[in-house]
Amino acid sequence: MERTTSIPLQPPTYGNLITVLSIDGGGIRGLIPGTILAFLESELQKLDGEDARLADYFDVISGTSTGGLVTAMLTTPDENNRPVFAAKDIKDFYLTEIPKIFPQNTCWLFPYITKIIKSLTGPKYNGKYLHSLVRQKLGEKKLHQTLTNVVIPTFDIKNLQPTIFSSFEVKHKPSFDALVSDICIATSAAPTYLPAHYFETKDYNGNVREFNLIDGGVAANNPTLVAIGEVTKQIIRGSPDFFPIKPMDYGRYLVISLGTGSPKAELKYDAHDAAKWGLLNWLTSGGSTPIINVFSHASADMVDLNLSVVFQALHSEKNYLRIQDDKLHGDVSSMDIATEKNLDNLVKVGEGLLKQPVSRVNLETGKFEVCNHETNEEALIRFAKLLSEEKWLRLAKSPQGQCTAKPN
């Protein structure tokens, strides 16, 4: 009998693991994790049928900025209560729509000067096409309606603090039950690139909550720890979905964390140069935005280091997979050079990354180092088997499983 993958994922209390998928921010470089996710979903489909979707296997999917957009695409339901996008469709979406979101400068006379002036007088892009596109694709769906739990970081510039949109929390914080489209627009509002986003929500009593938000990368460009933190809160509260898991039982987690590539090899700032920089240099040196590169890559690497150490300490390092490329250079290292050639090259980066060995960041050198003989592709195939086994184990042990035909 063919497996019915559209059956909702049963709570972790009926299984052995807590499954987490996390996707970094990075503008157009979202094509890199998009390519990797298509491979992972295809492996799940080999095991469980062509209707399998990533939302059927993860207890929580978390994403920042472009990763938040991918998260919404994978988890927002359509009219048939299935994801609006399959993972394989993300690539075509980016290739088709990104050039309209980030239209390229047609001024060939002084393109670099034009870019500097634009960044000093306002965001490079007005965001109008992105806003209309996201609203069209995600409709009126709200956070509580996602097909699995999602966690999307943003940053509130009025309160100067991170604002985390977590579907785990909407029952306790009804004012956070915003439109998924508003959340996506907010988490994508990278300073100097796209405008900040304002919207309002109302709670059950009609009380209005204001949000003044920018890119979640300011708070957590790699949102993996944020996702785990949201799960931990549910465990501490005694949620029956996680009984009898302990709050610090990281050995029960199965985590896939996807980066969008790092331009470290390309962007070699040094203290001698930076010591002379003023505001303009921090915003535009080397044709990039150093201040954004600094905070986004530093926070992402710190999360990876933290989790690597924790999983090693618990002898569960095979339960944590971080896929990242720190050797980007040229146009593929940018967040917004949306030419056809560059977008095609980003797809090739994602495909090439699958063939590379699993690696971890070394904070002493800032470089990624091979940590075992498994390739990222082989690791994802192994994770797909674990995810499938966990899904069907939970179903077999759950009350719903007693009313469902046992899969082969």
Side-chain angles (χ1 to χ4, degrees):
M1 182 177 295
E2 185 174 334
R3 292 180 167 183
T4 309
T5 52
S6 59
I7 297 172
L9 180 63
Q10 301 302 297
T13 191
Y14 298 115
N16 295 326
L17 300 167
I18 301 171
T19 54
V20 178
L21 172 63
S22 176
I23 309 155
D24 286 13
I28 64 171
R29 300 200 307 269
L31 266 168
I32 296 173
T35 302
I36 293 167
L37 290 171
F39 175 81
L40 174 60
E41 192 168 90
S42 71
E43 290 300 313
L44 290 167
Q45 290 169 345
K46 290 178 184 177
L47 297 168
D48 294 330
E50 63 181 15
D51 191 44
R53 297 291 183 267
L54 293 171
D56 301 326
Y57 297 87
F58 288 97
D59 294 306
V60 55
I61 301 179
S62 184
T64 297
S65 193
T66 194
L69 177 58
V70 172
T71 296
M73 293 164 71
L74 296 173
T75 61
T76 302
D78 62 14
E79 63 277 5
N80 299 313
N81 208 37
R82 298 298 288 147
V84 289
F85 281 83
K88 66 180 178 60
D89 298 325
I90 293 173
K91 180 180 75 171
D92 288 339
F93 173 86
Y94 270 70
L95 292 175
T96 301
E97 305 295 353
I98 284 292
K100 303 171 190 175
I101 296 171
F102 298 126
Q104 299 303 287
N105 188 355
T106 56
C107 176
W108 296 105
L109 231 93
F110 305 106
Y112 186 63
I113 295 175
T114 303
K115 179 179 177 181
I116 292 175
I117 294 173
K118 182 69 174 174
S119 67
L120 291 176
T121 58
K124 291 173 67 176
Y125 309 98
N126 61 33
K128 291 181 180 179
Y129 185 79
L130 171 64
H131 296 189
S132 63
L133 179 66
V134 168
R135 296 200 188 284
Q136 174 196 341
K137 298 296 183 182
L138 304 181
E140 296 297 309
K141 295 297 190 296
K142 290 192 170 184
L143 184 59
H144 78 273
Q145 295 174 284
T146 54
L147 296 171
T148 189
N149 291 297
V150 302
V151 175
I152 300 178
T154 66
F155 189 85
D156 193 307
I157 56 173
K158 188 172 184 178
N159 297 320
L160 288 181
Q161 66 178 28
T163 298
I164 310 299
F165 287 91
S166 167
S167 57
F168 288 115
E169 291 289 290
V170 290
K171 290 182 180 178
H172 305 283
K173 301 177 181 178
S175 62
F176 276 68
D177 192 20
L179 292 173
V180 178
S181 58
D182 275 324
I183 298 171
C184 283
I185 292 169
T187 194
S188 301
T192 76
Y193 289 92
L194 290 163
H197 187 52
Y198 173 87
F199 63 92
E200 299 175 353
T201 61
K202 291 183 180 179
D203 64 16
Y204 302 134
N205 299 317
N207 298 314
V208 175
R209 168 72 186 258
E210 295 183 344
F211 293 95
N212 298 269
L213 304 176
I214 61 172
D215 192 341
V218 172
N221 202 53
N222 175 350
T224 312
L225 270 180
V226 178
I228 292 175
E230 289 299 303
V231 170
T232 302
K233 280 198 285 187
Q234 309 314 305
I235 298 172
I236 292 172
R237 288 174 179 161
S239 168
D241 287 348
F242 296 93
F243 180 84
I245 299 167
K246 297 178 181 179
M248 297 304 294
D249 196 358
Y250 275 44
R252 297 283 292 273
Y253 284 88
L254 188 73
V255 178
I256 299 176
S257 176
L258 302 180
T260 56
S262 166
K264 288 180 182 178
E266 175 79 357
L267 303 175
K268 296 181 179 178
Y269 314 124
D270 62 51
H272 296 294
D273 292 332
K276 306 169 188 175
W277 286 357
L279 177 61
L280 184 62
N281 303 100
W282 278 104
L283 288 175
T284 60
S285 287
S288 66
T289 311
I291 190 65
I292 292 179
N293 288 323
V294 167
F295 70 65
S296 63
H297 295 298
S299 65
D301 286 351
M302 284 300 292
V303 170
D304 182 30
L305 176 73
N306 249 324
L307 289 174
S308 294
V309 171
V310 169
F311 277 88
Q312 286 176 18
L314 295 171
H315 306 289
S316 302
E317 52 265 39
K318 286 199 170 184
N319 281 22
Y320 172 64
L321 176 63
R322 171 70 171 169
I323 301 181
Q324 174 71 313
D325 188 335
D326 69 336
K327 299 179 179 64
L328 298 186
H329 62 276
D331 288 352
V332 293
S333 68
S334 81
M335 289 180 60
D336 64 331
I337 299 180
T339 62
E340 181 179 350
K341 178 181 178 181
N342 195 41
L343 295 177
D344 288 340
N345 285 337
L346 283 167
V347 173
K348 292 176 183 177
V349 169
E351 293 170 344
L353 197 50
L354 289 169
K355 305 297 182 182
Q356 294 181 20
V358 174
S359 303
R360 293 282 180 271
V361 67
N362 181 330
L363 283 196
E364 291 187 12
T365 64
K367 297 179 180 179
F368 272 66
E369 297 178 350
V370 175
C371 60
N372 63 46
H373 298 296
E374 195 176 33
T375 65
N376 290 318
E377 186 175 70
E378 291 167 341
L380 288 169
I381 292 171
R382 175 171 58 83
F383 270 67
K385 292 177 181 177
L386 291 171
L387 289 165
S388 178
E389 290 169 0
E390 177 69 12
K391 176 181 173 64
W392 298 108
L393 170 65
R394 293 186 193 181
L395 183 61
K397 289 186 175 182
S398 71
Q400 183 169 348
Q402 298 172 10
C403 305
T404 305
K406 183 179 179 180
N408 291 334

